[in-house]
Amino acid sequence: MCNMPMPAPFYGPTTTERTALVKLLRSAGLKLSTARIHILHNLHQTNTPQTAETISQQACLPLSTTYRALAALETYGLTGILFGSAGVARWYLIREGRPQRCNSCGQRYSTEYV
């Protein structure tokens, strides 16, 4: 039996949080979109890497939109991706200067390649 923590319920970003996320997207050179803002906010709320399916459900976005937004965020160095032993991809928010470890599998991930 897998001891996976349940993701926190998703609530849209507050005005202050949204402003910070907009600033982050602009500084990375990305166009603003509700999907990107909600995905970044969702990943910021959790310390556990999430599958695209979970992010899609939590942020109430179509799965195809979620994959496109995650790909763009990864390309611009805002998110990273882990591949589990079963080939399951999980995305996480890159947090500068903070070592990160997956709560479910213990795999350590970092921002070296950014």
Side-chain angles (χ1 to χ4, degrees), residues 37-51:
I37 290 169
H38 282 203
I39 288 169
L40 282 176
H41 182 64
N42 185 18
L43 291 173
H44 190 267
Q45 285 182 327
T46 182
N47 290 326
T48 306
Q50 302 291 317
T51 64

Side-chain angles (χ1 to χ4, degrees), residues 1 3 11 40 43 47 49 56 58 65-68 74 81 89 91 93:
M1 183 179 237
N3 190 11
Y11 299 103
L40 282 176
L43 291 173
N47 290 326
S56 173
Q58 290 276 311
T65 301
T66 303
Y67 273 114
R68 281 192 303 274
E74 183 186 4
I81 188 170
W91 282 265
L93 182 65

Side-chain angles (χ1 to χ4, degrees), residues 33-40 52-53 55-57 59-73 91:
S33 75
T34 301
R36 290 176 182 162
I37 290 169
H38 282 203
I39 288 169
L40 282 176
E53 291 81 8
I55 295 168
S56 173
Q57 291 171 355
C60 298
L61 296 168
L63 188 56
S64 59
T65 301
T66 303
Y67 273 114
R68 281 192 303 274
L70 285 167
L73 293 170
W91 282 265

Side-chain angles (χ1 to χ4, degrees), residues 47 95-102 107-111:
N47 290 326
R95 298 174 183 183
E96 294 291 329
R98 187 169 140 192
Q100 298 176 75
R101 189 174 300 275
C102 177
Q107 182 178 350
R108 185 182 171 122
Y109 45 95
S110 67
T111 59

